[in-house]
Coordinates of all heavy atoms in Angstrom, one line a residue:
E944 N 13.3 14.0 8.3 CA 14.0 12.8 7.8 C 13.2 12.0 6.8 O 11.9 12.0 6.8 CB 14.3 12.0 9.1 CG 15.1 10.7 8.8 CD 15.4 10.0 10.0 OE1 15.7 10.6 11.1 OE2 15.5 8.8 9.8
M945 N 13.9 11.4 6.0 CA 13.2 10.7 4.8 C 12.3 9.6 5.3 O 11.2 9.5 4.8 CB 14.3 10.2 3.9 CG 13.7 9.5 2.6 SD 12.7 10.5 1.6 CE 14.0 10.9 0.3
S946 N 12.7 8.8 6.2 CA 11.8 7.7 6.7 C 10.6 8.2 7.3 O 9.5 7.6 7.2 CB 12.7 6.8 7.7 OG 13.0 7.5 8.8
F947 N 10.6 9.4 8.0 CA 9.4 9.9 8.5 C 8.4 10.3 7.4 O 7.2 9.9 7.5 CB 9.7 11.2 9.4 CG 8.5 11.9 9.9 CD1 7.9 11.4 11.0 CD2 8.0 13.0 9.3 CE1 6.8 12.1 11.5 CE2 6.9 13.7 9.8 CZ 6.2 13.2 10.9
I948 N 8.9 10.9 6.4 CA 8.0 11.4 5.3 C 7.5 10.1 4.5 O 6.3 10.0 4.3 CB 8.8 12.2 4.3 CG1 9.2 13.5 4.9 CG2 8.1 12.4 2.9 CD1 10.2 14.4 4.1
L949 N 8.3 9.1 4.4 CA 7.8 7.8 3.7 C 6.8 7.1 4.5 O 5.9 6.5 4.0 CB 9.0 7.0 3.3 CG 10.0 7.5 2.3 CD1 11.2 6.6 2.1 CD2 9.3 7.7 1.0
R950 N 7.0 7.1 5.9 CA 6.0 6.4 6.8 C 4.6 7.3 6.6 O 3.6 6.6 6.6 CB 6.5 6.5 8.2 CG 7.5 5.4 8.4 CD 7.7 5.1 10.0 NE 7.9 6.3 10.7 CZ 9.3 6.8 11.0 NH1 10.3 6.1 10.6 NH2 9.4 7.9 11.7
R951 N 4.7 8.5 6.6 CA 3.5 9.3 6.5 C 2.8 9.1 5.1 O 1.6 8.9 5.1 CB 3.8 10.8 6.6 CG 4.4 11.3 7.9 CD 3.3 11.4 9.0 NE 2.4 12.3 8.6 CZ 1.8 13.1 9.5 NH1 2.2 13.1 10.7 NH2 0.9 14.1 9.1
L952 N 3.6 9.0 4.1 CA 3.0 8.7 2.8 C 2.4 7.2 2.8 O 1.3 7.1 2.2 CB 4.0 8.8 1.7 CG 3.6 8.7 0.2 CD1 2.5 9.7 -0.1 CD2 4.8 8.9 -0.7
Y953 N 3.0 6.3 3.4 CA 2.5 5.0 3.5 C 1.2 4.9 4.2 O 0.2 4.3 3.9 CB 3.5 4.1 4.2 CG 3.7 2.7 3.7 CD1 3.2 2.3 2.5 CD2 4.3 1.7 4.6 CE1 3.2 1.0 2.2 CE2 4.4 0.4 4.2 CZ 3.9 0.1 2.9 OH 4.0 -1.2 2.6
R954 N 1.1 5.7 5.3 CA -0.2 5.9 6.0 C -1.3 6.4 5.1 O -2.4 6.1 5.3 CB 0.0 6.6 7.2 CG 0.8 5.9 8.4 CD 0.9 6.8 9.6 NE 1.8 6.1 10.5 CZ 2.9 6.6 11.1 NH1 3.1 7.9 11.0 NH2 3.6 5.9 11.9
L955 N -1.0 7.3 4.2 CA -2.0 7.9 3.4 C -2.5 6.8 2.4 O -3.7 6.8 2.2 CB -1.4 9.1 2.5 CG -1.2 10.3 3.3 CD1 -0.4 11.4 2.4 CD2 -2.6 10.9 3.7
Y956 N -1.7 6.0 1.9 CA -2.1 4.9 1.1 C -3.0 3.9 1.9 O -4.1 3.5 1.4 CB -0.9 4.0 0.5 CG -0.2 4.7 -0.6 CD1 1.1 5.1 -0.5 CD2 -0.9 4.9 -1.8 CE1 1.7 5.7 -1.5 CE2 -0.3 5.5 -2.8 CZ 1.1 5.9 -2.7 OH 1.6 6.5 -3.8
L957 N -2.7 3.6 3.2 CA -3.5 2.8 4.0 C -4.8 3.5 4.2 O -5.9 2.8 4.1 CB -2.8 2.6 5.4 CG -3.4 1.6 6.3 CD1 -3.4 0.2 5.8 CD2 -2.7 1.7 7.7
H958 N -4.8 4.8 4.5 CA -6.1 5.4 4.7 C -7.0 5.4 3.5 O -8.2 5.1 3.5 CB -5.9 7.0 5.0 CG -7.1 7.8 5.1 ND1 -8.0 7.8 6.0 CD2 -7.6 8.6 4.1 CE1 -8.9 8.7 5.7 NE2 -8.8 9.1 4.5
G959 N -6.4 5.6 2.3 CA -7.1 5.6 1.1 C -7.7 4.2 0.8 O -8.9 4.1 0.5
Y960 N -7.1 3.2 1.1 CA -7.5 1.8 1.0 C -8.7 1.5 1.9 O -9.7 1.0 1.4 CB -6.4 0.8 1.3 CG -6.8 -0.7 1.0 CD1 -6.6 -1.2 -0.2 CD2 -7.3 -1.4 2.0 CE1 -7.1 -2.4 -0.5 CE2 -7.7 -2.7 1.8 CZ -7.5 -3.2 0.6 OH -8.0 -4.5 0.4
Y961 N -8.6 1.9 3.1 CA -9.6 1.5 4.1 C -10.8 2.5 4.1 O -11.9 2.0 4.2 CB -9.1 1.5 5.6 CG -8.3 0.3 5.8 CD1 -6.9 0.3 6.0 CD2 -8.9 -1.0 5.9 CE1 -6.2 -0.8 6.3 CE2 -8.2 -2.1 6.1 CZ -6.8 -1.9 6.4 OH -6.1 -3.1 6.6
Q962 N -10.6 3.8 3.8 CA -11.6 4.7 4.0 C -12.3 5.0 2.6 O -13.4 5.5 2.5 CB -11.3 6.0 4.6 CG -10.7 5.7 6.0 CD -11.7 5.2 6.9 OE1 -12.9 5.6 6.9 NE2 -11.4 4.3 7.8
H963 N -11.6 4.9 1.4 CA -12.1 5.2 0.2 C -11.8 4.2 -0.8 O -11.2 4.4 -1.9 CB -11.4 6.6 -0.3 CG -11.4 7.6 0.7 ND1 -12.6 8.4 1.0 CD2 -10.4 8.0 1.7 CE1 -12.3 9.2 2.0 NE2 -11.0 9.0 2.4
F964 N -12.2 2.9 -0.4 CA -11.7 1.8 -1.2 C -12.1 1.8 -2.7 O -11.2 1.6 -3.6 CB -12.3 0.5 -0.6 CG -11.8 -0.7 -1.4 CD1 -10.6 -1.2 -1.1 CD2 -12.7 -1.4 -2.2 CE1 -10.1 -2.3 -1.9 CE2 -12.4 -2.5 -2.9 CZ -11.0 -3.0 -2.7
D965 N -13.3 2.2 -3.0 CA -13.8 2.2 -4.5 C -12.9 3.2 -5.3 O -12.4 2.8 -6.4 CB -15.2 2.6 -4.6 CG -16.1 1.7 -4.0 OD1 -15.7 0.4 -3.9 OD2 -17.2 2.1 -3.5
V966 N -12.6 4.4 -4.8 CA -11.8 5.3 -5.5 C -10.4 4.9 -5.6 O -9.7 4.9 -6.6 CB -11.9 6.8 -4.8 CG1 -10.9 7.7 -5.5 CG2 -13.3 7.3 -4.9
Y967 N -9.9 4.4 -4.5 CA -8.5 3.9 -4.3 C -8.3 2.8 -5.4 O -7.4 2.8 -6.2 CB -8.3 3.4 -3.0 CG -7.0 2.7 -2.8 CD1 -5.8 3.5 -2.5 CD2 -6.8 1.3 -3.1 CE1 -4.6 2.9 -2.4 CE2 -5.5 0.7 -2.9 CZ -4.4 1.5 -2.6 OH -3.2 0.9 -2.5
Q968 N -9.3 1.9 -5.5 CA -9.1 0.7 -6.3 C -9.1 1.1 -7.8 O -8.3 0.7 -8.6 CB -10.2 -0.2 -6.1 CG -10.1 -1.6 -6.9 CD -11.2 -2.6 -6.5 OE1 -12.4 -2.2 -6.2 NE2 -10.8 -3.8 -6.5
Q969 N -10.0 2.1 -8.2 CA -10.0 2.6 -9.6 C -8.7 3.3 -9.9 O -8.1 3.0 -11.0 CB -11.2 3.5 -9.7 CG -12.5 3.0 -9.7 CD -13.6 4.1 -9.6 OE1 -13.3 5.2 -9.6 NE2 -14.9 3.6 -9.5
E970 N -8.3 4.1 -9.0 CA -7.0 4.8 -9.3 C -5.8 4.0 -9.3 O -4.9 4.0 -10.1 CB -6.8 6.0 -8.3 CG -7.8 7.1 -8.5 CD -7.9 7.7 -10.0 OE1 -6.8 8.0 -10.5 OE2 -8.9 7.8 -10.5
E971 N -5.8 3.0 -8.4 CA -4.7 1.9 -8.4 C -4.6 1.2 -9.6 O -3.5 0.9 -10.1 CB -4.7 1.2 -7.1 CG -3.6 0.3 -6.9 CD -2.3 1.0 -6.7 OE1 -2.3 2.2 -6.4 OE2 -1.2 0.3 -6.9
M972 N -5.8 0.8 -10.1 CA -5.7 0.0 -11.3 C -5.2 0.7 -12.6 O -4.6 0.2 -13.4 CB -7.2 -0.6 -11.6 CG -7.6 -1.6 -10.5 SD -9.2 -2.2 -10.9 CE -8.7 -3.7 -12.0
K973 N -5.5 2.1 -12.6 CA -5.0 2.8 -13.7 C -3.5 3.2 -13.6 O -2.8 3.1 -14.6 CB -5.7 4.2 -13.7 CG -7.1 4.2 -14.1 CD -7.6 5.5 -14.4 CE -9.0 5.7 -13.7 NZ -9.5 7.1 -13.6
H974 N -3.1 3.6 -12.4 CA -1.7 4.1 -12.2 C -0.8 3.3 -11.4 O 0.5 3.6 -11.4 CB -1.9 5.5 -11.5 CG -2.7 6.4 -12.3 ND1 -2.5 6.9 -13.5 CD2 -4.0 6.8 -12.0 CE1 -3.4 7.8 -14.0 NE2 -4.3 7.7 -13.0
H975 N -1.2 2.4 -10.6 CA -0.4 1.4 -9.8 C 0.6 2.3 -8.9 O 1.8 2.0 -8.7 CB 0.4 0.6 -10.7 CG -0.4 -0.2 -11.7 ND1 -1.1 -1.4 -11.3 CD2 -0.7 0.0 -13.0 CE1 -1.7 -1.8 -12.3 NE2 -1.5 -1.1 -13.4
M976 N 0.1 3.4 -8.4 CA 0.9 4.2 -7.4 C 1.3 3.5 -6.2 O 2.5 3.6 -5.9 CB 0.1 5.5 -7.1 CG -0.3 6.3 -8.3 SD -1.2 7.9 -7.9 CE -2.6 7.1 -7.1
Y977 N 0.5 2.8 -5.5 CA 0.8 2.2 -4.3 C 1.9 1.0 -4.7 O 2.9 0.9 -3.9 CB -0.3 1.6 -3.5 CG 0.1 0.7 -2.4 CD1 0.6 1.3 -1.3 CD2 0.1 -0.6 -2.5 CE1 1.1 0.5 -0.1 CE2 0.5 -1.4 -1.4 CZ 1.0 -0.9 -0.3 OH 1.4 -1.7 0.7
E978 N 1.6 0.3 -5.7 CA 2.5 -0.8 -6.1 C 3.9 -0.2 -6.3 O 4.9 -0.9 -5.8 CB 1.9 -1.5 -7.3 CG 2.8 -2.7 -7.7 CD 2.2 -3.4 -9.0 OE1 1.1 -3.0 -9.4 OE2 2.8 -4.4 -9.3
K979 N 4.0 0.8 -7.1 CA 5.3 1.4 -7.4 C 6.0 1.9 -6.1 O 7.2 1.7 -5.9 CB 5.1 2.5 -8.3 CG 4.8 2.1 -9.8 CD 4.4 3.3 -10.6 CE 3.8 2.8 -12.0 NZ 3.4 3.9 -12.8
F980 N 5.2 2.5 -5.2 CA 5.8 3.1 -3.9 C 6.3 1.9 -3.2 O 7.3 2.0 -2.6 CB 4.7 3.9 -3.2 CG 5.1 4.4 -1.9 CD1 6.0 5.5 -1.8 CD2 4.7 3.7 -0.7 CE1 6.4 5.9 -0.6 CE2 5.1 4.0 0.4 CZ 6.0 5.2 0.7
Y981 N 5.4 0.9 -3.0 CA 5.8 -0.2 -2.1 C 7.1 -0.9 -2.6 O 8.1 -1.1 -1.8 CB 4.7 -1.3 -2.1 CG 5.1 -2.4 -1.3 CD1 5.0 -2.5 0.1 CD2 5.5 -3.6 -1.9 CE1 5.3 -3.6 0.8 CE2 5.8 -4.8 -1.2 CZ 5.8 -4.7 0.3 OH 6.2 -5.8 0.9
Y982 N 7.2 -1.2 -3.9 CA 8.4 -1.9 -4.3 C 9.6 -0.9 -4.3 O 10.7 -1.4 -4.1 CB 8.2 -2.4 -5.8 CG 7.3 -3.6 -5.8 CD1 6.0 -3.7 -6.4 CD2 7.7 -4.7 -5.1 CE1 5.3 -4.8 -6.3 CE2 6.9 -5.9 -5.0 CZ 5.7 -5.8 -5.6 OH 4.8 -6.9 -5.5
F983 N 9.5 0.4 -4.5 CA 10.6 1.4 -4.4 C 11.0 1.4 -2.9 O 12.3 1.3 -2.7 CB 10.1 2.7 -4.8 CG 11.1 3.8 -4.5 CD1 12.3 3.9 -5.2 CD2 10.8 4.7 -3.5 CE1 13.2 4.9 -4.8 CE2 11.7 5.7 -3.1 CZ 12.9 5.8 -3.8
V984 N 10.1 1.4 -2.0 CA 10.5 1.6 -0.5 C 11.1 0.2 -0.1 O 12.1 0.2 0.6 CB 9.3 1.9 0.3 CG1 9.6 1.8 1.8 CG2 8.9 3.4 0.0
A985 N 10.5 -0.9 -0.4 CA 10.9 -2.2 -0.1 C 12.3 -2.6 -0.7 O 13.2 -3.1 -0.1 CB 9.9 -3.3 -0.3
G986 N 12.4 -2.3 -2.0 CA 13.5 -2.6 -2.8 C 14.8 -1.8 -2.3 O 15.9 -2.3 -2.4
S987 N 14.6 -0.6 -1.9 CA 15.7 0.3 -1.6 C 16.0 0.3 -0.1 O 16.8 1.1 0.4 CB 15.6 1.7 -2.2 OG 14.3 2.3 -1.8
S988 N 15.1 -0.4 0.7 CA 15.3 -0.5 2.2 C 15.2 0.9 2.8 O 15.9 1.2 3.7 CB 16.6 -1.2 2.5 OG 16.7 -2.5 2.1
L989 N 14.3 1.7 2.2 CA 14.2 3.1 2.8 C 13.3 3.0 4.1 O 13.4 3.9 4.9 CB 13.5 4.0 1.8 CG 14.5 4.3 0.7 CD1 13.7 5.1 -0.4 CD2 15.6 5.2 1.2
L990 N 12.5 2.0 4.2 CA 11.8 1.8 5.6 C 12.1 0.5 6.1 O 12.3 -0.5 5.4 CB 10.2 1.9 5.3 CG 9.6 3.2 4.9 CD1 8.1 3.1 4.7 CD2 9.9 4.3 6.0
S991 N 12.2 0.4 7.4 CA 12.6 -0.9 8.0 C 11.3 -1.7 8.0 O 10.2 -1.3 7.9 CB 13.0 -0.7 9.4 OG 12.1 -0.2 10.3
E992 N 11.5 -3.0 8.3 CA 10.4 -4.0 8.5 C 9.5 -3.5 9.6 O 8.3 -3.6 9.6 CB 10.8 -5.3 8.8 CG 9.8 -6.3 8.7 CD 10.3 -7.8 9.0 OE1 11.4 -8.1 8.5 OE2 9.5 -8.5 9.5
R993 N 10.1 -3.0 10.5 CA 9.3 -2.4 11.8 C 8.4 -1.3 11.3 O 7.3 -1.2 11.8 CB 10.3 -1.9 12.9 CG 9.5 -1.4 14.0 CD 10.6 -0.9 15.2 NE 10.0 0.1 16.0 CZ 10.2 1.4 15.8 NH1 11.0 1.9 14.9 NH2 9.6 2.3 16.6
D994 N 8.9 -0.4 10.5 CA 8.1 0.7 10.0 C 6.9 0.2 9.2 O 5.8 0.7 9.0 CB 8.9 1.7 9.1 CG 10.0 2.4 9.9 OD1 9.7 2.6 11.1 OD2 11.0 2.8 9.3
M995 N 7.1 -0.9 8.4 CA 6.2 -1.4 7.4 C 5.1 -2.5 8.1 O 4.2 -2.7 7.5 CB 6.8 -2.1 6.3 CG 7.6 -1.0 5.5 SD 8.8 -1.8 4.3 CE 7.7 -2.6 3.2
R996 N 5.6 -2.9 9.2 CA 4.8 -4.1 9.9 C 3.2 -3.7 10.0 O 2.4 -4.5 9.6 CB 5.3 -4.4 11.2 CG 4.5 -5.5 11.9 CD 5.2 -6.2 12.9 NE 6.3 -7.0 12.4 CZ 7.5 -7.1 12.8 NH1 7.9 -6.5 14.0 NH2 8.5 -7.8 12.3
P997 N 2.9 -2.5 10.5 CA 1.5 -2.2 10.6 C 0.7 -2.3 9.3 O -0.5 -2.3 9.2 CB 1.4 -0.8 11.2 CG 2.7 -0.6 11.7 CD 3.6 -1.4 11.0
F998 N 1.4 -2.2 8.1 CA 0.9 -2.1 6.8 C 0.9 -3.3 6.0 O 0.4 -3.4 4.9 CB 1.6 -0.9 6.1 CG 1.5 0.3 6.9 CD1 2.7 0.8 7.4 CD2 0.4 1.1 7.2 CE1 2.7 1.9 8.1 CE2 0.4 2.1 7.9 CZ 1.6 2.7 8.4
L999 N 1.7 -4.3 6.6 CA 1.8 -5.6 5.8 C 0.4 -6.2 5.6 O 0.2 -6.9 4.5 CB 2.7 -6.5 6.5 CG 4.2 -6.0 6.5 CD1 5.0 -7.0 7.3 CD2 4.7 -5.9 5.0
S1000 N -0.5 -6.1 6.5 CA -1.8 -6.7 6.2 C -2.4 -6.1 5.1 O -3.3 -6.8 4.5 CB -2.7 -6.4 7.5 OG -2.9 -5.0 7.8
L1001 N -2.2 -4.8 4.7 CA -2.8 -4.2 3.5 C -2.2 -4.9 2.4 O -3.1 -5.3 1.5 CB -2.4 -2.8 3.5 CG -2.6 -2.0 2.2 CD1 -4.1 -2.0 1.9 CD2 -2.1 -0.6 2.2
D1002 N -1.0 -5.3 2.3 CA -0.5 -6.1 1.2 C -1.0 -7.4 1.1 O -1.3 -7.9 0.0 CB 1.1 -6.1 1.3 CG 1.7 -4.7 1.2 OD1 1.3 -3.9 0.4 OD2 2.6 -4.4 2.1
E1003 N -1.2 -8.1 2.2 CA -1.7 -9.3 2.3 C -3.1 -9.3 1.8 O -3.6 -10.2 1.0 CB -1.6 -10.0 3.8 CG -0.2 -10.2 4.1 CD -0.1 -10.4 5.7 OE1 -1.0 -10.4 6.4 OE2 1.1 -10.6 6.1
M1004 N -3.9 -8.3 2.3 CA -5.4 -8.3 1.8 C -5.4 -8.1 0.3 O -6.2 -8.6 -0.4 CB -6.0 -7.1 2.5 CG -6.4 -7.5 4.0 SD -7.1 -6.1 4.9 CE -7.7 -5.0 3.8
R1005 N -4.5 -7.2 -0.2 CA -4.5 -6.9 -1.6 C -4.1 -8.1 -2.4 O -4.9 -8.5 -3.4 CB -3.5 -5.8 -1.9 CG -3.5 -5.4 -3.4 CD -2.6 -4.2 -3.5 NE -2.6 -3.9 -4.9 CZ -1.6 -3.3 -5.5 NH1 -0.5 -2.9 -4.9 NH2 -1.7 -3.0 -6.8
R1006 N -3.2 -9.0 -2.0 CA -2.8 -10.2 -2.7 C -4.0 -11.2 -2.7 O -4.3 -11.8 -3.7 CB -1.6 -10.8 -2.1 CG -0.3 -10.1 -2.6 CD 0.9 -10.8 -2.2 NE 1.8 -9.8 -1.6 CZ 2.2 -9.8 -0.3 NH1 1.8 -10.7 0.6 NH2 2.9 -8.8 0.1
S1007 N -4.7 -11.3 -1.5 CA -5.7 -12.3 -1.4 C -6.9 -11.8 -2.3 O -7.5 -12.6 -3.0 CB -6.2 -12.4 0.0 OG -6.8 -11.3 0.6
E1008 N -7.1 -10.4 -2.3 CA -8.2 -9.9 -3.3 C -7.9 -10.2 -4.7 O -8.7 -10.6 -5.5 CB -8.4 -8.5 -3.0 CG -9.5 -7.8 -3.9 CD -10.9 -8.2 -3.6 OE1 -11.1 -8.8 -2.5 OE2 -11.7 -8.1 -4.5
E1009 N -6.6 -10.0 -5.1 CA -6.3 -10.3 -6.5 C -6.4 -11.7 -6.8 O -6.9 -12.1 -7.9 CB -4.8 -9.8 -6.7 CG -4.6 -8.4 -6.7 CD -3.2 -7.9 -6.7 OE1 -2.2 -8.8 -6.6 OE2 -2.9 -6.7 -6.9
R1010 N -6.0 -12.6 -5.9 CA -6.2 -14.1 -6.0 C -7.8 -14.4 -6.3 O -8.2 -15.1 -7.1 CB -5.6 -14.8 -5.0 CG -4.1 -14.9 -5.1 CD -3.6 -15.9 -4.2 NE -3.9 -15.7 -2.7 CZ -3.0 -14.9 -1.9 NH1 -1.9 -14.5 -2.3 NH2 -3.5 -14.8 -0.7
R1011 N -8.6 -13.7 -5.4 CA -10.0 -14.0 -5.5 C -10.6 -13.5 -6.8 O -11.4 -14.2 -7.4 CB -10.7 -13.3 -4.3 CG -12.2 -13.6 -4.2 CD -12.9 -12.8 -3.2 NE -12.9 -11.5 -3.5 CZ -13.8 -10.8 -4.4 NH1 -14.6 -11.7 -5.1 NH2 -13.8 -9.7 -4.6
V1012 N -10.3 -12.3 -7.2 CA -10.7 -11.8 -8.4 C -10.3 -12.6 -9.6 O -11.0 -12.9 -10.6 CB -10.3 -10.3 -8.7 CG1 -10.7 -9.8 -10.0 CG2 -11.0 -9.5 -7.6
G1013 N -9.1 -13.1 -9.6 CA -8.5 -13.9 -10.6 C -9.2 -15.2 -10.8 O -9.3 -15.8 -11.9
K1014 N -9.8 -15.7 -9.8 CA -10.5 -17.0 -9.7 C -11.9 -16.8 -10.3 O -12.5 -17.9 -10.8 CB -10.6 -17.7 -8.4 CG -9.3 -18.1 -7.9 CD -9.4 -18.7 -6.5 CE -8.1 -19.2 -6.0 NZ -8.1 -19.7 -4.7
E1015 N -12.4 -15.7 -10.4 CA -13.8 -15.5 -10.8 C -14.0 -15.5 -12.3 O -13.1 -15.2 -13.1 CB -14.4 -14.2 -10.2 CG -14.6 -14.3 -8.8 CD -15.1 -13.0 -8.2 OE1 -15.2 -12.0 -8.9 OE2 -15.4 -12.9 -7.0

């Protein structure tokens, strides 16, 4: 099922963020893969809020990091 595959892919992004942050950050700044994936999934309602809930903290952390970097 599509939602199962998308949840698994979402978990890979989460793993990359927490376990390989430096590499993840470099690649994300170049290609914006997670950002594109997130807006695609959220915009087309392919995953429910329940599916995304464990990962919302990742988005919150990313936004706060972007605000912090922007202030420096």
Side-chain angles (χ1 to χ4, degrees):
E944 185 174 327
M945 180 65 98
S946 63
F947 175 77
I948 294 168
L949 293 173
R950 280 194 309 267
R951 298 282 297 217
L952 187 54
Y953 215 18
R954 289 181 186 134
L955 285 173
Y956 284 115
L957 186 68
H958 169 79
Y960 184 86
Y961 284 113
Q962 300 299 320
H963 311 285
F964 181 76
D965 294 334
V966 174
Y967 175 89
Q968 188 176 31
Q969 290 171 0
E970 292 302 312
E971 185 63 21
M972 291 184 84
K973 285 188 229 172
H974 305 289
H975 308 281
M976 295 180 301
Y977 172 75
E978 182 179 2
K979 292 173 187 174
F980 175 79
Y981 176 80
Y982 287 114
F983 170 72
V984 170
S987 56
S988 301
L989 292 172
L990 290 179
S991 69
E992 185 176 327
R993 181 179 154 261
D994 293 332
M995 296 169 60
R996 181 162 288 140
F998 309 106
L999 291 178
S1000 62
L1001 171 62
D1002 299 314
E1003 292 166 2
M1004 286 178 20
R1005 183 171 178 208
R1006 280 188 229 114
S1007 67
E1008 178 67 18
E1009 288 171 353
R1010 284 192 298 269
R1011 186 186 67 76
V1012 170
K1014 290 180 181 178
E1015 293 178 355

